[in-house]
Amino acid sequence: PEVKDFAVKIAETYRDNSKKVDEIISNYAKGWDFERLVKMDKDILRIAISELIYIKETPMKVAVDEAVELAKKYSTDDSATFVNGILAKVIVDNGLE
């Protein structure tokens, strides 16, 4: 039940802040057309950014590590590096260190 509740919380948080979260991804994915980003990468970033900026329950390192592992497992060969780079910029620019 706890995992399900937290997953629902992430989904609701993203739903409520989707425009801002997608804007963050778009702003940090310099040189990439948001619409052409790998869907899995966008979804992983949406989850991680929602956790980092809005929920703030998950430790920063855990949220990033989980996102990178999801990218390694479910996306392209370059996705883990891409996701890690975007999240690192989000963390620094939002004072989440």
Side-chain angles (χ1 to χ4, degrees), residues 28-44:
Y28 287 108
K30 300 215 186 293
W32 291 90
D33 177 3
F34 181 79
E35 298 304 319
R36 297 191 67 201
L37 290 176
V38 175
K39 176 144 176 36
M40 182 60 69
D41 294 353
K42 283 194 283 191
D43 290 342
I44 291 167

Side-chain angles (χ1 to χ4, degrees), residues 28 52 60-61 64 86-97:
Y28 287 108
L52 290 168
M60 176 192 59
K61 183 171 176 17
V64 173
I86 298 288
L87 294 178
K89 292 175 190 174
V90 168
I91 288 165
V92 169
D93 289 354
N94 287 280
L96 301 173
E97 295 181 86

Side-chain angles (χ1 to χ4, degrees), residues 75-95:
S75 200
T76 69
D77 291 341
D78 297 326
S79 293
T81 303
F82 176 74
V83 166
N84 190 54
I86 298 288
L87 294 178
K89 292 175 190 174
V90 168
I91 288 165
V92 169
D93 289 354
N94 287 280

